Amino acid sequence: MTAINQRPSRSLTSLLVPLVVGGLVVLALGVYGRAHTPTGFAVGVAGFSAALPMKVWLTTGAFVLAIVQVVSALSMWGKLGITIPAGVHRWSGRLAFILTIPVAFHCLYALGLQYDVPRVLAHSLLGCFFYGIFTAKMLALPKKDTPGWTLPVFGGLAFTALIGLWLTSSFWFFTAIGFKV
């Protein structure tokens, strides 16, 4: 009986470090975004007319790869009845994350965390949350004693945050401004 009582607490304890570190990432990005004086410029926009279209299209690429992530994860968990190689999940995730880096860097360094427009506030908070939950997921990934729900929940939260980021940026851009490159 003692072993049964200890197992859940040990597995939940294994989530403590990923969640704390992920929370610190959220907090650090938010504090930096508010404390840092925005520069208005952060990265070159090679191939794009301006920074905003660059961010919109890179975020759209990450959005598409996030859908690949969900489909390949469902396949890995045996929910689709088809087999998609695990490498598809790993590489689509890596590429999606890489596409978000210049976007996040530009947002934080050039614009900072803004709160004067509700859409922009939601976007800023979702961006901080995305990197925090992504960090927690990556730190929980190699742990064998985490509860079985950990990766689907953390992955689902990262997916939801990325969809929210796309809706508050790219979708807004496409509907308000158009399909500029």
Side-chain angles (χ1 to χ4, degrees):
M1 185 119 172
T2 307
I4 292 172
N5 290 338
Q6 288 178 352
R7 184 181 295 177
S9 66
R10 192 176 331 131
S11 64
L12 290 176
T13 303
S14 68
L15 288 178
L16 188 60
V17 169
L19 287 172
V20 167
V21 173
L24 290 173
V25 167
V26 172
L27 188 61
L29 291 174
V31 167
Y32 176 79
R34 273 312 296 151
H36 167 71
T37 302
T39 63
F41 178 79
V43 293
V45 293
F48 295 96
S49 59
L52 190 54
M54 175 210 56
K55 292 175 8 179
V56 162
W57 287 105
L58 291 179
T59 303
T60 299
F63 169 80
V64 169
L65 290 167
I67 293 169
V68 172
Q69 282 276 285
V70 169
V71 171
S72 60
L74 288 170
S75 171
M76 289 184 335
W77 290 91
K79 302 294 184 190
L80 293 182
I82 61 169
T83 303
I84 296 174
V88 171
H89 186 77
R90 276 189 230 102
W91 280 100
S92 62
R94 289 171 181 157
L95 291 173
F97 181 76
I98 288 169
L99 289 177
T100 69
I101 292 172
V103 176
F105 180 73
H106 184 274
C107 288
L108 276 171
Y109 192 73
L111 305 173
L113 192 146
Q114 298 180 16
Y115 57 87
D116 51 342
V117 176
R119 177 190 62 80
V120 177
L121 171 62
H123 184 77
S124 294
L125 295 176
L126 282 167
C128 295
F129 178 75
F130 171 76
Y131 279 97
I133 196 65
F134 179 83
T135 299
K137 181 183 177 212
M138 291 300 104
L139 291 175
L141 193 59
K143 295 181 177 287
K144 301 291 186 216
D145 59 345
T146 58
W149 53 262
T150 303
L151 294 179
V153 168
F154 286 10
L157 289 170
F159 175 77
T160 302
L162 190 56
I163 297 307
L165 285 165
W166 184 81
L167 288 170
T168 57
S169 62
S170 300
F171 180 75
W172 169 84
F173 183 87
F174 292 144
T175 56
I177 297 171
F179 289 87
K180 292 184 178 184
V181 180

